[in-house]
């Protein structure tokens, strides 16, 4: 039971960490100063949430585990994030599309976790959800701006959605651990999350004539530790300091 | 406004905590910020409960260290616990805290529905901290830190930070 809770916390934390890392890559590279600051602020919020999750995970694991060892000293197969958050910063539409799809999932997920039977998950969710609301607002506004902007911005937003949306199937494909956590009231019911996700994604896309591809990806196994080729590159950057200088402190 | 509920009997401790501030908003004491959620004194031991404004607030570790140093200097053995629940809200900023923010050039958070109208619908409600005009517009939803949005006054042209309502 305790192991399942630990793994569940990793799923929550890893999604936030890998997306936070992708956003951090944009620091100094945003299309303008305001957007650059917004994206890095979102990254910072996500990293704050990751710390809360991993501090809790370290407590559950016991022994020498710390938030840092969990963040930086696992092997690729031990990370439980979905493939969507690994996707590259191809262009600004991809950055916004990835954020928008994740936020549309993250918000209703945390709404449920605010009532988790696990008091620590509940506390983290109640804290984080206030931040996620701002993220969701930011990314929705940008999808509307790009989708309803020029022919060029519309085309590129549509292309980004065509690439990214098929990855969202994985968000709602329940693993054994997620099913167990739903049953014991600690985790979320992904079917309910999906209903909210569909409603918010469709309303934003419909408003600006963006369409959602029908063909979804079927073999995504990020939650089981099987990642896309992006993951290794990201981890080598994320883990470099701890691997090169074990136990270093900042 | 909800008044800061933490009551501190020991005058020296109270004074020391009031003198500490968030390094990113140096004019605002951590007490007026409403992030101290509990002070428990037991002989020479003291336990402080600290709550973050935003999860990723980079100032939290510094603030915890500052608290420990200040109270250790008063002869206490200090423990600082980070608590997440109940989650911080801008309602916990004291009236004096709001005033200090404004004097420093950061517009204090509006009440929730007004905040939404200003941030989501572009209504001109946030008061310029320089000239007091509400003829202001949002430039960016995220300002110099996650807790603030960037605004500009169309009367005096001053750009300024607005502390977003967080509930
Ligand atoms: Zn003005």
């Amino acid at each position: 039971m305790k192991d399942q809770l630990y793994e569940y916390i990793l799923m929550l934390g890893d999604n936030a960490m890998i997306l936070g890392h992708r956003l951090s890559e944009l620091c100094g590279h945003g299309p303008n100063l305001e957007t650059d600051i917004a994206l890095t602020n979102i990254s910072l919020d996500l990293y704050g949430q990751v710390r809360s999750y991993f501090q809790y995970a370290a407590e559950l694991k016991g022994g020498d585990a710390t938030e840092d060892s969990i963040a930086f000293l696992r092997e690729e197969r031990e990370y439980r994030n979905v493939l969507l958050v690994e996707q590259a910063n191809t262009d600004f539409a991809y950055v916004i599309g990835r954020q928008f799809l994740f936020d549309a999932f993250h918000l209703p997920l945390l709404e449920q976790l605010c009532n988790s039977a696990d008091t620590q998950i509940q506390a983290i969710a109640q804290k984080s959800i206030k931040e996620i609301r701002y993220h969701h607002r930011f990314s929705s506004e940008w999808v509307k701006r790009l989708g309803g902007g020029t022919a060029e911005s519309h085309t590129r937003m549509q292309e980004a959605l065509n690439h990214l949306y098929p990855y969202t199937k994985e968000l709602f494909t329940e693993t054994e651990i997620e099913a167990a956590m739903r049953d014991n009231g600690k985790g979320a019911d992904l079917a309910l999350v999906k209903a909210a996700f569909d409603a918010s994604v469709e309303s934003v896309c419909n408003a600006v004539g963006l369409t959602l591809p029908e063909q979804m990806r079927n073999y995504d196994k990020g939650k089981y530790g099987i990642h896309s080729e992006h993951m290794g590159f990201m981890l080598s950057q994320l883990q470099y300091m701890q691997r090169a200088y074990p136990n270093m402190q900042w | 406004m909800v008044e800061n509920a933490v009551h501190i009997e020991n005058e020296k401790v109270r004074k020391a905590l009031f003198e500490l501030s968030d390094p990113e908003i140096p004019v605002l004491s951590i007490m007026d910020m409403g992030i101290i959620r509990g002070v428990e004194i037991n002989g020479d031991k003291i336990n402080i409960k600290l709550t973050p404004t935003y999860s990723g607030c980079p100032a939290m570790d510094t603030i915890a260290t500052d608290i420990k140093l200040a109270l250790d200097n008063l002869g206490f053995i200090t423990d600082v616990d980070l608590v997440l629940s109940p989650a911080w809200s801008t309602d916990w900023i004291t009236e004096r805290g709001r005033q200090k923010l404004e004097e420093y050039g950061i517009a204090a958070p509006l009440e929730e529905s007004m905040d939404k109208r200003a941030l989501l619908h572009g209504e001109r409600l946030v008061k310029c901290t320089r000239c007091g005009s509400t003829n202001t517009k949002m430039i960016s939803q995220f300002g110099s830190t996650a807790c603030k949005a960037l605004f500009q006054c169309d009367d005096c042209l001053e750009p300024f930070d607005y502390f977003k309502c967080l509930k």
Side-chain angles (χ1 to χ4, degrees):
Chain A
M1 259 344 266
K2 214 173 164 186
D3 286 351
Q4 283 188 326
L5 179 61
Y6 173 75
E7 295 288 335
Y8 189 70
I9 302 294
L10 291 189
M11 284 184 195
L12 296 169
D14 287 345
N15 280 340
M17 180 166 83
I18 298 302
L19 182 57
H21 180 70
R22 271 295 185 226
L23 291 169
S24 78
E25 293 173 348
L26 292 161
C27 185
H29 300 277
N32 59 29
L33 190 58
E34 288 78 10
T35 317
D36 191 293
I37 291 170
L39 293 170
T40 40
N41 267 316
I42 293 172
S43 172
L44 193 60
D45 282 344
L46 291 170
Y47 263 91
Q49 296 164 16
V50 172
R51 288 192 65 184
S52 300
Y53 285 126
F54 287 177
Q55 281 162 7
Y56 182 34
E59 210 177 284
L60 291 169
K61 192 157 191 229
D64 308 334
T66 64
E67 53 179 308
D68 285 336
S69 72
I70 290 174
F72 299 121
L73 297 177
R74 277 180 289 151
E75 302 294 333
E76 181 176 329
R77 288 283 174 108
E78 295 170 301
Y79 285 83
R80 305 257 165 250
N81 58 281
V82 293
L83 267 53
L84 174 68
V85 296
E86 296 168 14
Q87 298 307 302
N89 298 324
T90 308
D91 68 13
F92 186 60
Y94 276 71
V95 172
I96 291 302
R98 183 185 61 207
Q99 192 64 39
F100 170 64
L101 294 171
F102 185 73
D103 291 340
F105 157 76
H106 205 188
L107 187 59
L109 176 78
L110 289 196
E111 263 161 16
Q112 285 196 41
L113 296 183
C114 281
N115 299 312
S116 167
D118 183 283
T119 51
Q120 192 59 23
I121 292 182
Q122 191 186 88
I124 298 170
Q126 286 174 354
K127 176 85 212 157
S128 310
I129 196 163
K130 302 180 178 194
E131 297 153 7
I132 305 304
R133 282 196 198 106
Y134 278 111
H135 303 174
H136 184 244
R137 189 186 296 174
F138 171 83
S139 59
S140 305
E141 289 296 312
W142 266 108
V143 169
K144 286 187 201 156
R145 201 168 297 144
L146 294 176
T150 62
E152 171 76 7
S153 73
H154 182 89
T155 307
R156 289 170 74 165
M157 192 66 242
Q158 184 63 59
E159 272 171 20
L161 283 178
N162 291 348
H163 175 76
L164 295 166
Y165 185 76
Y167 284 97
T168 60
K169 183 174 176 190
E170 184 189 9
L171 297 169
F172 308 106
T173 310
E174 199 176 57
T175 63
E176 227 173 84
I177 293 168
E178 286 169 312
M181 298 315 268
R182 165 172 53 76
D183 284 344
N184 66 22
K186 293 181 180 178
D189 182 340
L190 291 178
L192 296 177
V193 177
K194 169 102 169 85
F197 170 89
D198 286 343
S200 88
V201 169
E202 278 163 24
S203 94
V204 170
C205 289
N206 287 344
V208 290
L210 292 165
T211 54
L212 298 169
E214 274 167 33
Q215 190 65 40
M216 302 300 274
R217 292 174 59 98
N218 278 321
Y219 305 105
D220 294 331
K221 292 273 185 286
K223 293 178 190 174
Y224 296 92
I226 300 167
H227 296 281
S228 67
E229 65 173 304
H230 296 303
M231 192 68 177
F233 292 100
M234 261 190 288
L235 288 181
S236 65
Q237 201 182 31
L238 258 172
Q239 299 192 341
Y240 173 79
M241 292 301 270
Q242 279 298 330
R243 298 288 186 193
Y245 306 96
N247 303 319
M248 61 119 20
Q249 297 264 320
W250 201 246
Chain B
M1 284 311 104
V2 178
E3 266 310 300
N4 198 320
V6 177
H7 180 67
I8 307 168
E9 299 237 342
N10 185 313
E11 195 46 42
K12 274 189 188 156
V13 170
R14 215 180 85 88
K15 201 160 162 275
L17 289 176
F18 263 102
E19 276 168 11
L20 295 176
S21 61
D22 179 335
E24 293 188 23
I25 314 175
V27 291
L28 188 58
S29 134
I30 55 174
M31 294 298 290
D32 284 328
M33 192 82 174
I35 57 176
I36 298 295
R37 302 316 296 164
V39 175
E40 215 172 286
I41 304 175
N42 216 329
D44 59 353
K45 293 202 181 81
I46 187 162
N47 178 281
I48 304 290
K49 299 220 180 314
L50 177 68
T51 195
T53 50
Y54 279 67
S55 304
C57 177
M60 261 316 125
D61 290 341
T62 313
I63 294 172
T65 312
D66 288 348
I67 293 173
K68 197 166 159 33
L69 277 177
L71 299 181
D72 282 357
N73 274 341
L74 294 178
F76 286 104
I77 303 162
T78 316
D79 240 351
V80 182
D81 288 336
L82 207 59
V83 293
L84 295 178
S85 177
W88 183 82
S89 125
T90 39
D91 281 355
W92 295 359
I93 302 176
T94 62
E95 202 43 59
R96 178 180 40 211
R98 294 173 59 88
Q99 230 165 1
K100 289 259 171 83
L101 278 176
E102 298 264 349
E103 284 163 18
Y104 189 59
I106 301 172
L110 294 172
E111 166 278 311
E112 197 179 10
S113 64
M114 299 259 283
D115 175 89
K116 279 208 174 116
R117 281 159 58 196
L119 292 182
L120 287 184
H121 306 294
E123 286 188 46
R124 294 177 179 245
L125 298 167
V126 176
K127 225 194 232 169
C128 167
T129 51
R130 186 173 171 275
C131 76
S133 162
T134 52
N135 187 18
T136 60
K137 62 178 182 228
M138 187 176 78
I139 304 287
S140 172
Q141 196 188 309
F142 293 86
S144 55
T145 59
C147 56
K148 292 174 257 164
L150 189 62
F151 271 70
Q152 187 179 16
C153 174
D154 274 346
D155 281 345
C156 75
L157 301 182
E158 181 83 350
F160 61 95
D161 269 332
Y162 163 61
F163 206 115
K164 290 180 279 194
C165 172
L166 192 72
K167 276 206 148 174

